[in-house]
Amino acid sequence: MAEEGNSIRAIIAAFAANLGIAVSKFVAFLFTGSSALLAEAVHSVADTANQLLLLIGGRRAKREASPLHPFGYQRFRYFYGFLVTLVIFLVGGVFALFEGWEKLHAPEPVESPVWAFAVLGVSIVLESFSLRTAVHEAQPERRGLPWLRFIRTTRSPELPVVIAEDFGALTGLFFATVGITLAVVTGDGRWDAVGTIAIGVLLVIISITLSTRMRSLLIGESADQETLRRIEAAIEAEPLVQRMIHLRTMHLGPDQLLIAAKVAFAADETVAHVTDAINRAEARIRGDLDDECFVFLEPDVWDQRLHETQERPPGSAKKP
Protein backbone atom coordinates (compact mmCIF):
# COMPACT_ATOMS: atom_id res chain seq x y z
CA MET A 1 0.00 0.00 0.00
CA ALA A 2 3.00 2.30 -0.38
CA GLU A 3 1.50 3.80 -3.53
CA GLU A 4 -1.58 4.87 -1.56
CA GLY A 5 0.63 6.63 0.99
CA ASN A 6 2.45 8.44 -1.82
CA SER A 7 -0.89 9.56 -3.25
CA ILE A 8 -2.12 10.90 0.09
CA ARG A 9 1.04 12.95 0.65
CA ALA A 10 0.75 14.45 -2.84
CA ILE A 11 -2.95 15.26 -2.29
CA ILE A 12 -2.34 16.97 1.05
CA ALA A 13 0.50 19.06 -0.39
CA ALA A 14 -1.70 20.10 -3.32
CA PHE A 15 -4.62 20.91 -1.01
CA ALA A 16 -2.53 23.18 1.21
CA ALA A 17 -0.96 24.97 -1.77
CA ASN A 18 -4.25 25.47 -3.63
CA LEU A 19 -6.08 26.76 -0.57
CA GLY A 20 -3.47 29.45 0.02
CA ILE A 21 -3.30 30.30 -3.67
CA ALA A 22 -7.09 30.62 -4.00
CA VAL A 23 -7.30 33.13 -1.13
CA SER A 24 -4.43 35.24 -2.47
CA LYS A 25 -5.86 35.27 -6.01
CA PHE A 26 -9.28 36.43 -4.83
CA VAL A 27 -7.65 39.24 -2.84
CA ALA A 28 -5.62 40.26 -5.90
CA PHE A 29 -8.75 40.16 -8.09
CA LEU A 30 -10.52 42.57 -5.73
CA PHE A 31 -7.67 45.06 -6.17
CA THR A 32 -7.04 44.57 -9.90
CA GLY A 33 -10.35 43.54 -11.47
CA SER A 34 -8.40 41.13 -13.72
CA SER A 35 -10.56 38.44 -15.33
CA ALA A 36 -7.51 36.20 -15.66
CA LEU A 37 -6.94 36.39 -11.91
CA LEU A 38 -10.61 35.67 -11.26
CA ALA A 39 -10.45 32.64 -13.55
CA GLU A 40 -7.28 31.50 -11.78
CA ALA A 41 -8.90 32.04 -8.37
CA VAL A 42 -11.90 29.92 -9.33
CA HIS A 43 -9.50 27.36 -10.81
CA SER A 44 -7.67 27.16 -7.46
CA VAL A 45 -10.97 26.78 -5.58
CA ALA A 46 -11.88 23.93 -7.91
CA ASP A 47 -8.47 22.31 -7.35
CA THR A 48 -8.89 22.62 -3.58
CA ALA A 49 -12.30 20.95 -3.79
CA ASN A 50 -10.79 18.26 -6.00
CA GLN A 51 -8.21 17.34 -3.35
CA LEU A 52 -11.04 16.93 -0.84
CA LEU A 53 -12.92 14.68 -3.28
CA LEU A 54 -9.83 12.51 -3.77
CA LEU A 55 -9.34 12.21 0.00
CA ILE A 56 -13.02 11.28 0.45
CA GLY A 57 -12.73 8.69 -2.32
CA GLY A 58 -9.65 7.16 -0.71
CA ARG A 59 -11.34 7.00 2.67
CA ARG A 60 -14.55 5.43 1.35
CA ALA A 61 -12.52 2.89 -0.63
CA LYS A 62 -11.24 1.44 2.67
CA ARG A 63 -14.68 0.24 3.74
CA GLU A 64 -14.94 -3.49 4.41
CA ALA A 65 -16.51 -5.71 1.78
CA SER A 66 -20.20 -6.46 2.25
CA PRO A 67 -22.68 -9.01 0.86
CA LEU A 68 -23.84 -6.35 -1.60
CA HIS A 69 -20.27 -5.46 -2.59
CA PRO A 70 -18.28 -8.66 -2.00
CA PHE A 71 -15.14 -7.34 -3.72
CA GLY A 72 -15.00 -4.20 -1.58
CA TYR A 73 -15.19 -0.51 -2.44
CA GLN A 74 -11.90 0.24 -4.18
CA ARG A 75 -13.75 1.60 -7.22
CA PHE A 76 -14.69 4.62 -5.12
CA ARG A 77 -11.21 5.93 -5.94
CA TYR A 78 -12.01 5.79 -9.67
CA PHE A 79 -15.48 7.26 -9.17
CA TYR A 80 -14.22 10.26 -7.22
CA GLY A 81 -11.39 10.68 -9.71
CA PHE A 82 -14.02 10.98 -12.43
CA LEU A 83 -15.95 13.53 -10.36
CA VAL A 84 -12.77 15.60 -10.18
CA THR A 85 -12.56 15.74 -13.97
CA LEU A 86 -16.12 17.11 -14.09
CA VAL A 87 -15.26 19.81 -11.56
CA ILE A 88 -12.19 20.82 -13.60
CA PHE A 89 -14.36 21.03 -16.73
CA LEU A 90 -17.39 22.85 -15.30
CA VAL A 91 -15.99 24.99 -12.48
CA GLY A 92 -12.61 25.65 -14.03
CA GLY A 93 -12.76 25.46 -17.81
CA VAL A 94 -16.31 26.55 -18.59
CA PHE A 95 -16.21 29.41 -16.08
CA ALA A 96 -12.90 30.72 -17.47
CA LEU A 97 -14.20 30.56 -21.05
CA PHE A 98 -17.38 32.40 -20.08
CA GLU A 99 -15.52 35.05 -18.09
CA GLY A 100 -12.97 35.55 -20.87
CA TRP A 101 -15.71 35.88 -23.50
CA GLU A 102 -17.52 38.48 -21.38
CA LYS A 103 -14.40 40.56 -20.80
CA LEU A 104 -13.39 40.26 -24.45
CA HIS A 105 -16.56 42.09 -25.43
CA ALA A 106 -16.48 44.50 -22.49
CA PRO A 107 -12.77 44.94 -21.66
CA GLU A 108 -11.69 46.72 -18.50
CA PRO A 109 -8.19 48.00 -17.63
CA VAL A 110 -6.13 46.12 -15.05
CA GLU A 111 -5.84 48.19 -11.89
CA SER A 112 -3.07 47.92 -9.29
CA PRO A 113 -0.97 45.53 -11.39
CA VAL A 114 1.59 45.24 -8.59
CA TRP A 115 -0.94 43.16 -6.65
CA ALA A 116 -1.47 40.93 -9.65
CA PHE A 117 2.21 40.24 -10.25
CA ALA A 118 2.93 39.72 -6.54
CA VAL A 119 0.17 37.12 -6.22
CA LEU A 120 1.16 35.44 -9.47
CA GLY A 121 4.74 35.15 -8.18
CA VAL A 122 3.64 33.63 -4.87
CA SER A 123 1.26 31.26 -6.70
CA ILE A 124 4.01 30.06 -9.01
CA VAL A 125 6.22 29.24 -6.01
CA LEU A 126 3.44 27.33 -4.19
CA GLU A 127 2.27 25.46 -7.31
CA SER A 128 5.88 24.51 -8.08
CA PHE A 129 6.20 23.09 -4.56
CA SER A 130 2.98 21.11 -5.00
CA LEU A 131 4.04 19.78 -8.41
CA ARG A 132 7.49 18.86 -7.10
CA THR A 133 5.89 16.88 -4.26
CA ALA A 134 3.53 15.06 -6.65
CA VAL A 135 6.36 14.22 -9.05
CA HIS A 136 8.51 12.93 -6.19
CA GLU A 137 5.73 10.72 -4.83
CA ALA A 138 4.96 9.36 -8.31
CA GLN A 139 8.53 8.32 -9.10
CA PRO A 140 8.40 4.83 -7.51
CA GLU A 141 5.23 3.95 -9.43
CA ARG A 142 6.34 5.60 -12.69
CA ARG A 143 9.41 3.35 -12.99
CA GLY A 144 11.04 5.50 -15.64
CA LEU A 145 8.02 5.76 -17.95
CA PRO A 146 7.49 9.03 -19.86
CA TRP A 147 5.04 11.20 -17.93
CA LEU A 148 2.30 11.16 -20.55
CA ARG A 149 2.48 7.37 -20.83
CA PHE A 150 2.44 7.08 -17.02
CA ILE A 151 -0.74 9.14 -16.82
CA ARG A 152 -2.33 7.04 -19.56
CA THR A 153 -1.40 3.66 -18.07
CA THR A 154 -1.29 3.91 -14.28
CA ARG A 155 -4.13 2.26 -12.37
CA SER A 156 -3.86 4.82 -9.57
CA PRO A 157 -6.26 7.75 -10.11
CA GLU A 158 -4.89 10.25 -7.58
CA LEU A 159 -1.34 10.90 -8.74
CA PRO A 160 -2.22 11.56 -12.42
CA VAL A 161 -4.98 13.94 -11.33
CA VAL A 162 -2.73 15.88 -8.95
CA ILE A 163 0.14 16.05 -11.46
CA ALA A 164 -2.15 17.18 -14.29
CA GLU A 165 -3.81 19.75 -12.02
CA ASP A 166 -0.51 21.22 -10.87
CA PHE A 167 0.92 21.29 -14.38
CA GLY A 168 -2.26 22.95 -15.61
CA ALA A 169 -2.11 25.47 -12.76
CA LEU A 170 1.47 26.46 -13.57
CA THR A 171 0.66 26.77 -17.27
CA GLY A 172 -2.46 28.78 -16.42
CA LEU A 173 -0.37 31.11 -14.27
CA PHE A 174 1.93 31.65 -17.24
CA PHE A 175 -1.08 32.52 -19.44
CA ALA A 176 -2.39 34.89 -16.76
CA THR A 177 1.01 36.57 -16.40
CA VAL A 178 1.34 37.10 -20.15
CA GLY A 179 -2.24 38.35 -20.48
CA ILE A 180 -1.97 40.80 -17.58
CA THR A 181 1.47 42.02 -18.72
CA LEU A 182 0.21 42.75 -22.23
CA ALA A 183 -2.92 44.42 -20.83
CA VAL A 184 -0.79 46.70 -18.61
CA VAL A 185 1.76 47.50 -21.32
CA THR A 186 -0.77 48.20 -24.08
CA GLY A 187 -3.57 49.53 -21.91
CA ASP A 188 -5.92 47.13 -23.72
CA GLY A 189 -7.94 44.97 -21.33
CA ARG A 190 -8.71 42.49 -24.09
CA TRP A 191 -5.29 40.90 -23.57
CA ASP A 192 -6.41 40.01 -20.05
CA ALA A 193 -9.50 38.38 -21.57
CA VAL A 194 -7.34 36.43 -24.04
CA GLY A 195 -5.28 35.07 -21.14
CA THR A 196 -8.51 34.03 -19.42
CA ILE A 197 -9.75 32.20 -22.51
CA ALA A 198 -6.39 30.42 -22.83
CA ILE A 199 -6.75 29.22 -19.24
CA GLY A 200 -10.24 27.92 -20.02
CA VAL A 201 -9.10 26.03 -23.11
CA LEU A 202 -6.22 24.51 -21.12
CA LEU A 203 -8.53 23.29 -18.35
CA VAL A 204 -11.00 21.78 -20.82
CA ILE A 205 -8.17 19.84 -22.49
CA ILE A 206 -6.91 18.58 -19.11
CA SER A 207 -10.44 17.61 -18.11
CA ILE A 208 -11.05 15.64 -21.31
CA THR A 209 -7.70 13.85 -20.98
CA LEU A 210 -8.28 12.86 -17.35
CA SER A 211 -11.95 11.96 -17.82
CA THR A 212 -11.02 9.58 -20.64
CA ARG A 213 -8.53 7.88 -18.31
CA MET A 214 -10.95 7.70 -15.36
CA ARG A 215 -13.73 6.35 -17.59
CA SER A 216 -11.51 3.51 -18.73
CA LEU A 217 -10.60 2.67 -15.14
CA LEU A 218 -14.26 2.75 -14.08
CA ILE A 219 -15.22 0.35 -16.86
CA GLY A 220 -12.43 -2.00 -15.80
CA GLU A 221 -8.91 -2.54 -17.12
CA SER A 222 -6.81 -5.68 -17.21
CA ALA A 223 -3.48 -6.09 -15.46
CA ASP A 224 -0.42 -4.83 -17.32
CA GLN A 225 1.68 -7.14 -19.48
CA GLU A 226 4.33 -7.74 -16.81
CA THR A 227 1.68 -8.77 -14.26
CA LEU A 228 0.00 -11.05 -16.82
CA ARG A 229 3.32 -12.78 -17.44
CA ARG A 230 3.87 -13.25 -13.72
CA ILE A 231 0.39 -14.73 -13.26
CA GLU A 232 0.88 -17.07 -16.18
CA ALA A 233 4.28 -18.18 -14.91
CA ALA A 234 2.84 -18.85 -11.44
CA ILE A 235 0.07 -21.03 -12.91
CA GLU A 236 2.26 -22.94 -15.33
CA ALA A 237 4.88 -23.59 -12.66
CA GLU A 238 2.40 -26.11 -11.23
CA PRO A 239 3.56 -29.58 -12.46
CA LEU A 240 0.03 -30.96 -12.94
CA VAL A 241 -1.04 -28.06 -15.19
CA GLN A 242 -0.82 -29.06 -18.85
CA ARG A 243 -1.52 -25.58 -20.17
CA MET A 244 -3.45 -22.42 -19.45
CA ILE A 245 -6.41 -22.22 -21.81
CA HIS A 246 -7.22 -18.58 -21.19
CA LEU A 247 -6.67 -15.83 -18.63
CA ARG A 248 -8.84 -12.84 -17.74
CA THR A 249 -7.93 -10.09 -15.28
CA MET A 250 -9.52 -6.83 -14.15
CA HIS A 251 -8.48 -4.14 -11.70
CA LEU A 252 -11.17 -3.69 -9.05
CA GLY A 253 -9.06 -0.85 -7.70
CA PRO A 254 -5.46 0.33 -7.89
CA ASP A 255 -4.42 -2.32 -5.34
CA GLN A 256 -7.01 -5.03 -6.08
CA LEU A 257 -6.95 -7.49 -8.95
CA LEU A 258 -9.56 -10.02 -10.07
CA ILE A 259 -7.97 -13.05 -11.77
CA ALA A 260 -9.94 -15.75 -13.58
CA ALA A 261 -8.33 -18.51 -15.64
CA LYS A 262 -9.29 -21.81 -17.23
CA VAL A 263 -6.54 -24.38 -16.70
CA ALA A 264 -6.10 -27.74 -18.43
CA PHE A 265 -5.31 -30.94 -16.51
CA ALA A 266 -4.89 -34.51 -17.68
CA ALA A 267 -8.19 -36.35 -18.07
CA ASP A 268 -7.17 -39.10 -15.64
CA GLU A 269 -6.20 -36.80 -12.75
CA THR A 270 -8.18 -37.27 -9.55
CA VAL A 271 -10.32 -34.52 -8.09
CA ALA A 272 -8.10 -34.41 -5.00
CA HIS A 273 -4.93 -33.91 -7.04
CA VAL A 274 -6.55 -31.20 -9.18
CA THR A 275 -7.84 -29.41 -6.08
CA ASP A 276 -4.40 -29.44 -4.45
CA ALA A 277 -2.79 -28.19 -7.68
CA ILE A 278 -5.27 -25.30 -7.97
CA ASN A 279 -4.70 -24.32 -4.33
CA ARG A 280 -0.94 -24.32 -4.83
CA ALA A 281 -1.23 -22.23 -8.00
CA GLU A 282 -3.51 -19.70 -6.29
CA ALA A 283 -1.13 -19.39 -3.35
CA ARG A 284 1.79 -18.92 -5.74
CA ILE A 285 -0.05 -16.11 -7.58
CA ARG A 286 -0.85 -14.28 -4.35
CA GLY A 287 2.74 -14.66 -3.20
CA ASP A 288 4.18 -13.30 -6.45
CA LEU A 289 1.97 -10.21 -6.75
CA ASP A 290 1.89 -7.09 -4.59
CA ASP A 291 -1.83 -6.44 -5.11
CA GLU A 292 -4.68 -7.98 -3.17
CA CYS A 293 -5.87 -10.76 -5.48
CA PHE A 294 -9.19 -12.53 -5.93
CA VAL A 295 -8.17 -15.68 -7.81
CA PHE A 296 -10.56 -18.12 -9.51
CA LEU A 297 -9.05 -21.04 -11.42
CA GLU A 298 -11.37 -23.33 -13.36
CA PRO A 299 -10.07 -26.84 -14.15
CA ASP A 300 -10.70 -28.30 -17.59
CA VAL A 301 -9.48 -31.05 -19.90
CA TRP A 302 -7.68 -29.92 -23.03
CA ASP A 303 -9.53 -30.74 -26.25
CA GLN A 304 -7.79 -29.37 -29.34
CA ARG A 305 -10.97 -29.33 -31.41
CA LEU A 306 -12.91 -27.52 -28.71
CA HIS A 307 -10.31 -24.92 -27.74
CA GLU A 308 -8.22 -24.29 -30.86
CA THR A 309 -10.36 -21.27 -31.83
CA GLN A 310 -10.68 -19.89 -28.30
CA GLU A 311 -9.23 -16.40 -27.96
CA ARG A 312 -6.19 -15.92 -25.74
CA PRO A 313 -5.50 -12.42 -24.37
CA PRO A 314 -2.18 -10.65 -25.18
CA GLY A 315 0.68 -11.85 -23.03
CA SER A 316 -0.78 -15.31 -22.66
CA ALA A 317 1.35 -18.02 -24.26
CA LYS A 318 0.81 -21.76 -24.40
CA LYS A 319 2.91 -23.93 -22.15
CA PRO A 320 5.18 -26.20 -24.21
Side-chain angles (χ1 to χ4, degrees):
M1 296 295 180
E3 293 176 1
E4 183 180 351
N6 294 341
S7 299
I8 292 175
R9 284 189 290 271
I11 293 170
I12 292 175
F15 174 81
N18 285 319
L19 183 60
I21 291 170
V23 173
S24 64
K25 286 176 180 176
F26 272 118
V27 171
F29 164 71
L30 294 177
F31 281 94
T32 64
S34 167
S35 63
L37 273 177
L38 177 59
E40 275 295 305
V42 173
H43 175 196
S44 294
V45 170
D47 285 351
T48 304
N50 289 341
Q51 315 316 321
L52 287 176
L53 287 174
L54 292 176
L55 289 172
I56 292 171
R59 183 177 181 84
R60 299 195 71 180
K62 294 179 181 179
R63 293 168 59 184
E64 295 293 331
S66 65
L68 185 61
H69 298 94
F71 293 111
Y73 294 84
Q74 281 285 314
R75 283 184 182 271
F76 265 127
R77 293 172 67 180
Y78 296 151
F79 173 71
Y80 277 87
F82 186 75
L83 287 183
V84 165
T85 68
L86 297 180
V87 173
I88 294 174
F89 180 82
L90 295 174
V91 180
V94 172
F95 176 84
L97 289 173
F98 175 79
E99 182 68 18
W101 182 259
E102 288 286 308
K103 287 298 178 71
L104 192 63
H105 289 78
E108 298 176 1
V110 176
E111 302 175 358
S112 304
V114 173
W115 275 93
F117 292 124
V119 168
L120 288 171
V122 171
S123 299
I124 289 172
V125 171
L126 292 177
E127 287 290 3
S128 297
F129 166 76
S130 178
L131 179 60
R132 178 182 177 275
T133 302
V135 167
H136 175 74
E137 299 298 340
Q139 292 292 5
E141 185 180 347
R142 186 168 74 99
R143 299 187 182 96
L145 288 174
W147 283 107
L148 187 57
R149 184 177 176 189
F150 166 70
I151 290 174
R152 289 177 173 174
T153 59
T154 181
R155 270 60 174 183
S156 173
E158 294 89 359
L159 287 174
V161 168
V162 173
I163 290 172
E165 278 185 350
D166 289 344
F167 173 78
L170 280 173
T171 307
L173 288 168
F174 170 76
F175 290 156
T177 301
V178 172
I180 293 173
T181 300
L182 291 175
V184 171
V185 170
T186 64
D188 187 350
R190 286 177 294 184
W191 285 111
D192 185 33
V194 170
T196 307
I197 292 173
I199 293 169
V201 171
L202 171 70
L203 293 178
V204 168
I205 292 173
I206 290 175
S207 173
I208 292 173
T209 302
L210 290 176
S211 64
T212 301
R213 185 76 196 106
M214 295 303 118
R215 180 186 63 186
S216 181
L217 291 171
L218 270 174
I219 293 172
E221 289 189 351
S222 69
D224 59 42
Q225 292 299 312
E226 175 60 26
T227 302
L228 289 174
R229 284 190 288 268
R230 291 170 66 182
I231 295 171
E232 186 172 338
I235 293 174
E236 296 187 339
E238 174 55 44
L240 295 186
V241 172
Q242 290 187 324
R243 67 176 67 205
M244 189 175 65
I245 299 172
H246 66 69
L247 171 65
R248 300 289 186 270
T249 63
M250 183 173 66
H251 270 276
L252 302 173
D255 307 313
Q256 280 188 342
L257 191 61
L258 175 65
I259 301 169
K262 180 173 286 191
V263 181
F265 292 88
D268 56 353
E269 287 291 352
T270 65
V271 172
H273 287 166
V274 170
T275 301
D276 289 342
I278 287 177
N279 289 336
R280 287 193 298 267
E282 290 181 351
R284 192 178 295 112
I285 291 171
R286 294 189 176 94
D288 288 349
L289 300 183
D290 298 327
D291 296 331
E292 179 185 3
C293 298
F294 298 92
V295 186
F296 302 92
L297 302 184
E298 178 186 353
D300 201 350
V301 176
W302 178 256
D303 186 324
Q304 182 68 29
R305 293 171 300 175
L306 178 63
H307 297 298
E308 64 183 0
T309 60
Q310 187 161 3
E311 177 187 359
R312 292 170 58 85
S316 181
K318 294 180 180 180
K319 182 177 179 180

